[in-house]
């Protein structure tokens, strides 16, 4: 399990809040490995399975780091005895004024229906370029999932996980395997340029 820890010469409440979030995440993944994966492995072993050991690998990628925002994407790969391992990602978006996690309501200057419509329209336009690789009901799934991941079986946290994050290129939205396409398509990411969406953002993630 590889997660960030930010060190400073002097104590900083902002950095402390960020580090606590990652500490809680580490505790959640450790508990997950010690309970769910361990119990699944022991059940499989008792049934004579030869696919042990079960594994959990976690890593992170910093996607945006400015004076105002820090966006970190967490990627986990889980093998629980199935045909193949399963990988998924989610994002943590920090407000660097206090180290708390952003909510969409704090990021956009318009109503939820307005910013979701703007995001969906641009995702659909990109999907239309090569729609055959997506499920035919992809619009239903995208609108059902909104900007959160709530159906992840191996979530380390009890709260919904962000599927959106700031990157250097724009606002990115990710979808994990099986959500809008088959497993073979992997994790799918759509990035909306700040030129296209900047007018409805209340945050400047590049500053």
């Amino acid at each position: 399990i590889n997660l960030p820890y930010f060190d400073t010469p002097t104590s900083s409440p902002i950095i402390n809040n960020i580090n606590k979030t990652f500490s809680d995440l580490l505790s959640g993944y450790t508990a997950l490995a010690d309970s769910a994966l361990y119990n699944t492995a022991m059940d499989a072993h008792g049934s004579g399975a030869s696919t042990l050991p079960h594994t959990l690998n976690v890593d992170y990628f910093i996607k945006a780091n400015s004076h105002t925002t820090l966006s970190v994407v967490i990627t986990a790969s889980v093998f629980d005895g199935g045909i193949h391992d399963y990988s998924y990602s989610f994002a943590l978006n920090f407000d660097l004024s206090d180290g708390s996690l952003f909510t969409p309501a704090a990021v956009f200057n318009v109503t939820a229906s307005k910013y979701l419509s703007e995001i969906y329209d641009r995702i659909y336009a990109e999907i239309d370029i090569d729609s055959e690789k997506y499920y035919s009901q992809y619009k239903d799934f995208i609108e059902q999932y909104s900007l959160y991941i709530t159906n992840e079986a191996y979530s380390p946290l009890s709260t919904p996980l962000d599927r959106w994050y700031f990157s250097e290129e724009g606002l990115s939205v990710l979808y994990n395997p099986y959500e809008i396409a088959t497993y073979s398509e992997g994790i799918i990411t759509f990035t909306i340029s700040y030129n296209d969406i900047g007018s409805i953002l209340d945050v400047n993630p590049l500053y």
Side-chain angles (χ1 to χ4, degrees), residues 184-196:
S184 62
E185 297 297 336
I187 296 169
I188 299 170
T189 303
F190 301 97
T191 298
I192 304 166
S193 167
Y194 293 126
N195 289 334
D196 292 333

Side-chain angles (χ1 to χ4, degrees), residues 34-50:
D34 287 344
S35 57
L37 284 177
Y38 177 81
N39 290 335
T40 302
M42 290 301 97
D43 289 345
H45 183 66
S47 301
S50 58

Side-chain angles (χ1 to χ4, degrees), residues 8 12 18 29 32-33 41 69 72 89 92 107-108 111 122 126 147 149 158 163 169-171 201:
T8 57
S12 163
I18 294 172
Y29 270 123
L32 179 67
T69 61
V72 182
S89 292
L92 297 171
V107 168
F108 296 97
T111 63
R122 285 168 171 79
E126 188 169 341
L147 295 182
I149 301 168
S158 59
R163 67 171 71 251
E169 296 78 20
L171 183 79
L201 288 177

Side-chain angles (χ1 to χ4, degrees), residues 148-187:
Y148 295 104
I149 301 168
T150 58
N151 59 337
E152 183 48 61
Y154 288 115
S155 170
L157 302 173
S158 59
T159 55
L161 308 173
D162 284 346
R163 67 171 71 251
W164 66 274
Y165 59 90
F166 296 117
S167 65
E168 293 183 359
E169 296 78 20
L171 183 79
S172 296
V173 184
L174 65 86
Y175 295 90
N176 287 312
Y178 299 116
E179 288 190 320
I180 61 172
T182 61
Y183 174 84
S184 62
E185 297 297 336
I187 296 169

Side-chain angles (χ1 to χ4, degrees), residues 113-179:
S113 60
K114 175 64 175 174
Y115 67 70
L116 287 173
S117 176
E118 293 272 355
I119 291 170
Y120 295 159
D121 285 349
R122 285 168 171 79
I123 290 176
Y124 298 156
E126 188 169 341
I127 288 177
D128 284 344
I129 297 171
D130 186 16
S131 61
E132 291 186 0
K133 71 179 185 179
Y134 301 94
Y135 297 143
S136 60
Q137 319 96 305
Y138 69 83
K139 287 187 178 181
D140 294 336
F141 294 142
I142 285 174
E143 294 179 20
Q144 173 189 339
Y145 298 144
S146 187
L147 295 182
Y148 295 104
I149 301 168
T150 58
N151 59 337
E152 183 48 61
Y154 288 115
S155 170
L157 302 173
S158 59
T159 55
L161 308 173
D162 284 346
R163 67 171 71 251
W164 66 274
Y165 59 90
F166 296 117
S167 65
E168 293 183 359
E169 296 78 20
L171 183 79
S172 296
V173 184
L174 65 86
Y175 295 90
N176 287 312
Y178 299 116
E179 288 190 320

